[in-house]
Amino acid sequence: MAKNYNATVAKIMAIYGKRIMPQDYTEMMNKQSVPEVAEYLKKNTHYSELLSAIDTRTVHRGMLENLLHRSIFETYMRITGFEHISKQEFYNYKILQTEIDEILRCIRFINAGSQKMIADIPIYINPYTSFDLLELAKVTDFRELLSFLKKTPYYDVLREIHPDADGRVDVTRCETLLRSYYISRLKSSLKFKSQDVKLFTALLDTDTDLINVINSYRLTAFFDASDAVIERDMLPFYGRLSAAKQKEIYSARDSEEFIRRFSKTYYGKQMIENGYDINNLERSAQRLRYKYAKSMLKRSASAPLSVYAFIFLLEIEVQNIISIIEGIRYGIEVNKIASLIIM
């Protein structure tokens, strides 16, 4: 097992060494079109193989974004298949995450009364999921969705959810239940050395804390949600922010008071010390998550920690590129695009 761990970590670090660097982001932000960004990625970055068969002169935004998202999954499969570590339950977490994402997307399409989900299905993932994504895309109402999920663990997670008179369901509640199931299952799959379990749990608890902060801030700032609604929709896991501390923060009367209370917490102080704009809470929380994952990847020789941290960093890298692509497409100034990049 140690050999597998060492080889996996070494492979991850070799791939990470080819990551997009700050100067690459600067070069891309100064391009004039999506094809120019694609051409830069093809000639100067580790995405060259991904784009080798693509005529960058005709590539459009949607196609490039889909290719980038696919590259994350293919890298994940390559890493977990390298030493066959995917045979261990933990290393299938990305499949579980994808299944939940697709179920939630299906619910949003149902609520919107749309039949267009099938056009966006990541079909390349279908061989690995526990249910057929193409069949999921044919679902037209929530009761049909429950029937479709009857032989999966997701049925029990969602069975108590009921549509309203118009057939719509509370997607936020569904997301809380499904994400909570994901975290519980992830924690139960940690069959590693006690030190690795301790470190990974700390990283996961940090992620959960910051996700709860972001979600509760949104509910406070944009939806004027009650304390009871916010508490109901938080993930029931706690790291450095205890249940009492989280409740103290999200009981704030408005977004300004929310920020004031949060600024006194461990994470708030970390944001301020790192020079992040705490008033732009969502962006700063993502930057903090990025910082912790990067630190964990550099100092850990643990395969589970390395896989989890690296894939998160790769997801941020792809999101950065997409922010640049969209910024260029909509004619946003370079300095504004730069403010969106997480490093």
Side-chain angles (χ1 to χ4, degrees):
M1 185 65 69
K3 179 182 177 182
N4 290 350
Y5 278 22
N6 291 338
T8 297
V9 173
K11 186 173 183 66
I12 287 171
M13 294 310 295
I15 299 172
Y16 180 66
K18 300 175 182 178
R19 67 193 178 279
I20 299 291
M21 305 301 284
Q23 59 267 30
D24 294 311
Y25 289 129
T26 300
E27 289 286 343
M28 286 187 283
M29 283 186 283
N30 283 285
K31 299 301 181 185
Q32 301 301 310
S33 67
V34 172
E36 285 185 21
V37 174
E39 183 67 8
Y40 183 86
L41 289 168
K42 184 175 182 177
K43 288 187 174 180
N44 301 282
T45 74
H46 66 91
Y47 293 101
S48 58
E49 183 177 350
L50 174 75
L51 299 171
S52 60
I54 302 297
D55 183 351
T56 56
R57 295 171 297 178
T58 60
V59 71
H60 58 80
R61 178 187 59 86
M63 178 184 181
L64 184 54
E65 289 183 9
N66 287 338
L67 284 169
L68 291 170
H69 283 301
R70 180 169 183 164
S71 73
I72 297 173
F73 186 78
E74 289 178 346
T75 300
Y76 159 80
M77 293 302 295
R78 191 162 69 249
I79 289 171
T80 56
F82 179 57
E83 294 286 325
H84 307 293
I85 59 175
S86 59
K87 293 180 179 179
Q88 300 176 54
E89 183 185 357
F90 167 81
Y91 293 105
N92 290 299
Y93 78 90
K94 190 67 180 171
I95 308 295
L96 184 66
Q97 192 179 72
T98 300
E99 290 178 343
I100 288 172
D101 287 344
E102 292 306 307
I103 291 169
L104 288 169
R105 197 152 64 88
C106 179
I107 293 171
R108 293 188 184 99
F109 272 87
I110 289 170
N111 281 354
S114 174
Q115 300 293 313
K116 298 180 180 179
M117 179 179 173
I118 196 164
D120 298 318
I121 287 289
I123 193 63
Y124 53 88
I125 301 177
N126 208 36
Y128 309 99
T129 53
S130 63
F131 52 79
D132 191 331
L133 295 179
L134 291 174
E135 291 302 313
L136 174 68
K138 298 176 184 177
V139 169
T140 58
D141 62 53
F142 189 73
R143 291 183 181 86
E144 189 180 342
L145 175 63
L146 284 181
S147 178
F148 175 80
L149 296 173
K150 195 68 178 287
K151 295 182 180 180
T152 75
Y154 305 115
Y155 173 79
D156 287 334
V157 176
L158 296 175
R159 64 186 301 181
E160 300 304 322
I161 298 292
H162 300 288
D164 63 17
D166 296 319
R168 297 185 180 90
V169 297
D170 184 343
V171 69
T172 302
R173 185 59 184 154
C174 292
E175 182 163 9
T176 301
L177 293 171
L178 287 166
R179 302 295 185 204
S180 297
Y181 167 76
Y182 165 77
I183 293 169
S184 295
R185 186 162 162 184
L186 195 58
K187 287 188 172 184
S188 70
S189 70
L190 298 176
K191 310 297 184 183
F192 306 111
K193 294 185 295 185
S194 59
Q195 182 63 17
D196 289 348
V197 171
K198 183 178 179 180
L199 288 171
F200 182 85
T201 301
L203 182 61
L204 187 60
D205 285 344
T206 294
D207 277 352
T208 307
D209 278 348
L210 291 172
I211 289 168
N212 274 343
V213 167
I214 291 169
N215 289 343
S216 57
Y217 178 74
R218 285 175 183 166
L219 289 168
T220 300
F222 306 121
F223 299 99
D224 195 27
S226 68
D227 296 0
V229 168
I230 296 175
E231 185 173 7
R232 185 200 67 171
D233 289 334
M234 293 302 98
L235 298 170
F237 305 94
Y238 312 97
R240 291 179 181 270
L241 292 182
S242 65
K245 178 58 68 175
Q246 287 193 27
K247 189 169 185 177
E248 176 189 332
I249 296 167
Y250 58 62
S251 64
R253 64 180 181 274
D254 54 36
S255 57
E256 289 77 14
E257 179 62 25
F258 188 106
I259 295 294
R260 280 194 291 272
R261 293 184 183 185
F262 176 71
S263 67
K264 297 176 182 178
T265 68
Y266 171 82
Y267 299 114
K269 292 175 182 176
Q270 284 280 298
M271 288 179 189
I272 293 168
E273 288 174 10
N274 281 281
Y276 304 155
D277 180 6
I278 198 168
N279 290 302
N280 189 343
L281 190 56
E282 291 194 38
R283 187 67 52 184
S284 295
Q286 280 290 73
R287 286 197 164 106
L288 206 55
R289 291 180 70 194
Y290 179 88
K291 177 179 181 291
Y292 292 150
K294 186 176 179 180
S295 174
M296 189 65 72
L297 180 62
K298 286 185 174 181
R299 64 187 178 89
S300 174
S302 158
L305 279 162
S306 296
V307 170
Y308 184 84
F310 172 68
I311 293 299
F312 175 77
L313 294 174
L314 189 58
E315 289 169 342
I316 293 294
E317 179 178 279
V318 165
Q319 186 54 55
N320 283 341
I321 298 170
I322 290 173
S323 293
I324 292 171
I325 292 168
E326 293 181 344
I328 291 172
R329 182 169 181 259
Y330 292 109
I332 298 173
E333 295 176 3
V334 171
N335 63 329
K336 291 185 178 179
I337 299 175
S339 70
L340 301 175
I341 302 302
I342 296 172
M343 288 189 291

